[in-house]
Amino acid sequence: MTGPLPDPFADQPDWAPLPPRPIEIVPATGRIELRGRRVLVGLPGLGWRGDLRADERVVQGSRTYVPVIPEHEWYRAESEQVEVFAPLVPVERVWVETVGERRPAAARSPQSGVRLVSLDAPTHREPTPVFEADTVTGRRVVHVAESVEQRDLRAVTETYASADGDICVRVTSELEWYRWAWRGQTLTTLEVPVHLLWIE
């Protein structure tokens, strides 16, 4: 072998972890477990609505429907074991968020500028480092530490300087985030350095 060895950190600062696996959006018509999954509903060409959770498919006559619940109601129902109303949406109008495969750095698309998409199906952006975001409070974030991803988190602050001088964001679990809304209870948060957080 001649020549220098390739630098494995050439495209990535040594302090930055790999991004989390991206969210991929697939039709609910496929063979995929739906209960508790994040979903989007809508019609091609018109638009999409997110922050929803699904229950298992329901068949009525020859049609298949998906019970769809606003995410905050789903967490309340699961946490407090209460019944909530879930409208039935035709399965062909429901798309499911799944965690995709990790992509090599060369395959990731750049985030800057205008990105045109097709209106045929909902799309999702690549994970964005929190330190590149303009605002983070309330956003879904992924904590990546030593290639372990912790999902279902919400940022509860903007970036700030910690007592140790690190730039951090406080996060909480989504259950705590929504419980804060419906009960008003003080939530438990975790201080995480921004270089370990990604917007989902």
Side-chain angles (χ1 to χ4, degrees):
M1 183 172 180
T2 61
L5 292 173
D7 181 1
F9 301 107
D11 295 329
Q12 190 150 334
D14 59 353
W15 54 266
L18 287 174
R21 293 169 295 160
I23 296 295
E24 292 180 355
I25 301 173
V26 298
T29 53
R31 293 190 130 334
I32 188 167
E33 187 79 21
L34 291 180
R35 177 150 173 55
R37 301 293 292 271
R38 279 196 176 102
V39 295
L40 295 111
V41 298
L43 285 170
L46 289 178
W48 311 99
R49 178 164 188 252
D51 290 330
L52 303 168
R53 296 281 180 147
D55 207 341
E56 285 305 324
R57 293 170 186 83
V58 173
V59 177
Q60 291 183 348
S62 62
R63 301 280 320 255
T64 303
Y65 298 92
V66 177
V68 175
I69 308 163
E71 198 166 57
H72 64 92
E73 287 291 312
W74 182 82
Y75 274 107
R76 189 170 67 85
E78 292 294 309
S79 171
E80 299 188 354
Q81 297 298 301
V82 296
E83 295 283 327
V84 295
F85 175 73
L88 299 177
V89 179
V91 70
E92 62 273 6
R93 294 184 184 178
V94 180
W95 297 73
V96 184
E97 289 188 12
T98 61
V99 178
E101 296 297 318
R102 192 174 303 280
R103 296 185 185 128
R108 289 184 216 125
S109 58
Q111 293 289 315
S112 61
V114 175
R115 182 180 77 123
L116 299 178
V117 298
S118 167
L119 295 180
D120 294 337
T123 60
H124 200 281
R125 294 189 181 275
E126 294 283 328
T128 304
V130 163
F131 59 83
E132 291 181 9
D134 54 349
T135 182
V136 295
T137 301
R139 306 273 303 266
R140 290 170 28 191
V141 294
V142 181
H143 179 200
V144 180
E146 299 177 18
S147 75
V148 175
E149 299 173 6
Q150 185 179 358
R151 293 182 180 266
D152 294 330
L153 299 173
R154 294 281 179 153
V156 295
T157 67
E158 294 298 325
T159 54
Y160 65 92
S162 71
D164 297 332
D166 291 331
I167 298 174
C168 296
V169 170
R170 287 202 162 273
V171 300
T172 192
S173 70
E174 283 200 324
L175 175 59
E176 289 275 326
W177 171 258
Y178 288 115
R179 189 177 284 151
W180 188 25
W182 80 71
R183 284 192 185 164
Q185 290 180 326
T186 305
L187 63 162
T188 305
T189 63
L190 175 66
E191 183 177 78
V192 181
V194 291
H195 68 275
L196 299 177
L197 280 178
W198 298 76
I199 293 177
E200 196 170 46

